[in-house]
Amino acid sequence: MKNIVKLFIALSTFLTILAVLAVAGLSPLSLMEAALLAMTPLALAAVGEAVNQKGGVSNIGIDGIFLITAAVAVLGAEDFGSGYTGMLVGAAVGGFLGFVHGLLSTYAKANQIVAGIGLNIFSYGFVPYFLMAVWGFPGIRVPPKEVLVPLRVLSIAGASFRLSEFSILAVVLAALLHFTLYRTPLGLRIRACGESPEAVDVAGIGVYRLRITLSTLGGVTAGLGGAFMSLAWFGGVVKEISAGRGFIALACVVASGLEPLLSLGFAFIFGFSEALAYAVAITPGIKEVVPYHLVLSTPYIVTLAIVAVFIGKRRFPKSLGQPYVKD
């Protein structure tokens, strides 16, 4: 009952905000369209990383995965002539990066934070080199429209509304992972692996194998998010395409307390704040009043505020970030 009341209050507040924005001259339908697009890469990465951290492995290299997979997905789409194949390439490369991080975090006993930072730093150098080496042009690549992933155009109250099937996938994936965590034996093993890997090992379950699998899953979902940005949202790749969104996805994970459904909710909040920021920045009568750069910093201000408010109220697995050493 308490959760239903909270959900009702949240929906009422959101509808009130939309009504106020409509009075101010902003289109609620356009805001929702932009918010769902901005939410999708964050949600895809956050729900996978939430489950990964439930199992005890933390990967802060999501921003690096976003950058690398956004670039290689464009190459895959152009080589195979299909945006959907490019998405699969992005997911595969993301899964490989997650797999490597899992190996480093288990068998190599690496510091997981340092390994994630290393992945981010590597991506900042690799992507500009990759763009120059493959296409001979520094910093940007715009593929032909034919190989991009199209958005579905729906009609709502006589107005067109663009929606990606990957936005729907993010919602379904969050619900599926939540169900897996709390309604299946596998979910119990995942949660136990983060709380007490010794007990999991004694029960005959491979802690390393499970953690590597979860890390790979987190890489796959982050890879989908990176590919989505270049092939379905922006229609190309630039060397700064992630713009720190990987860290915002991590903020969704932390603020949610590693809960996939709550991660989805926070991803939508951040996506909506980004959509609102760009809408305000281009709306006559408003953009002249509100400083442009202040408006565009709104998603990052919201990130800091939400993490500051919620992080103290969350409980995290006891063995999160700690390599398991077999006796």
Side-chain angles (χ1 to χ4, degrees):
M1 178 61 72
K2 185 183 294 186
N3 290 333
I4 295 177
V5 172
K6 289 181 179 179
L7 180 61
F8 176 77
I9 293 174
L11 288 175
S12 299
T13 303
F14 179 67
L15 291 175
T16 301
I17 292 173
L18 286 181
V20 172
L21 293 174
V23 172
L26 299 175
S27 169
L29 203 59
S30 296
L31 280 174
M32 285 296 297
E33 177 184 293
L36 289 174
L37 289 174
M39 173 204 78
T40 302
L42 302 179
L44 287 170
V47 298
E49 179 60 17
V51 176
N52 181 32
Q53 293 196 20
K54 278 286 188 182
V57 176
S58 177
N59 184 359
I60 69 168
I62 294 178
D63 204 58
I65 296 178
F66 273 174
L67 282 169
I68 294 171
T69 56
V72 298
V74 171
L75 177 62
E78 291 188 359
D79 284 352
F80 291 99
S82 168
Y84 292 101
T85 305
M87 294 290 295
L88 291 176
V89 171
V93 172
F96 173 75
L97 294 173
F99 175 74
V100 172
H101 182 80
L103 289 177
L104 292 175
S105 302
T106 52
Y107 290 104
K109 307 295 187 298
N111 184 298
Q112 296 172 19
I113 301 301
V114 174
I117 292 174
L119 176 55
N120 288 331
I121 294 174
F122 170 75
S123 72
Y124 300 151
F126 171 79
V127 171
Y129 168 78
F130 182 83
L131 292 172
M132 190 67 189
V134 175
W135 292 293
F137 197 85
I140 186 172
R141 174 64 181 180
V142 179
K145 291 183 178 180
E146 293 77 18
V147 302
L148 297 178
V149 176
L151 299 177
R152 308 301 174 185
V153 180
L154 308 177
S155 179
I156 299 178
S160 61
F161 182 82
R162 297 185 306 160
L163 179 67
S164 171
E165 56 261 60
F166 290 97
S167 299
I168 300 173
L169 174 63
V171 176
V172 172
L173 188 60
L176 180 61
L177 291 177
H178 179 85
F179 177 84
T180 300
L181 276 177
Y182 296 103
R183 294 290 187 272
T184 66
L186 174 60
L188 179 61
R189 293 176 181 178
I190 292 172
R191 289 182 285 129
C193 196
E195 289 291 344
S196 180
E198 298 85 359
V200 175
D201 197 11
V202 169
I205 301 169
V207 174
Y208 289 176
R209 184 167 60 249
L210 181 56
R211 285 187 168 183
I212 291 172
T213 300
L214 295 174
S215 185
T216 303
L217 171 65
V220 168
T221 59
L224 277 175
F228 177 86
M229 283 193 286
S230 59
L231 293 177
W233 187 10
F234 296 125
V237 59
V238 295
K239 61 182 181 179
E240 312 91 351
I241 190 171
S242 67
R245 289 183 179 86
F247 298 105
I248 296 180
L250 284 172
C252 294
V253 175
V254 172
S256 71
L258 315 187
E259 300 294 338
L261 283 177
L262 280 179
S263 294
L264 175 68
F266 282 113
F268 178 77
I269 291 174
F270 292 130
F272 184 79
S273 67
E274 181 169 355
L276 179 60
Y278 279 101
V280 168
I282 63 174
T283 302
I286 299 179
K287 65 180 182 179
E288 291 82 5
V289 178
V290 184
Y292 178 78
H293 294 292
L294 176 61
V295 169
L296 294 185
S297 67
T298 299
Y300 306 97
I301 295 173
V302 171
T303 300
L304 291 174
I306 287 183
V307 171
V309 169
F310 286 96
I311 192 170
K313 303 178 181 179
R314 302 305 186 191
R315 180 188 174 279
F316 299 95
K318 294 179 180 179
S319 298
L320 176 60
Q322 300 177 10
Y324 172 61
V325 181
K326 293 184 178 181
D327 294 331

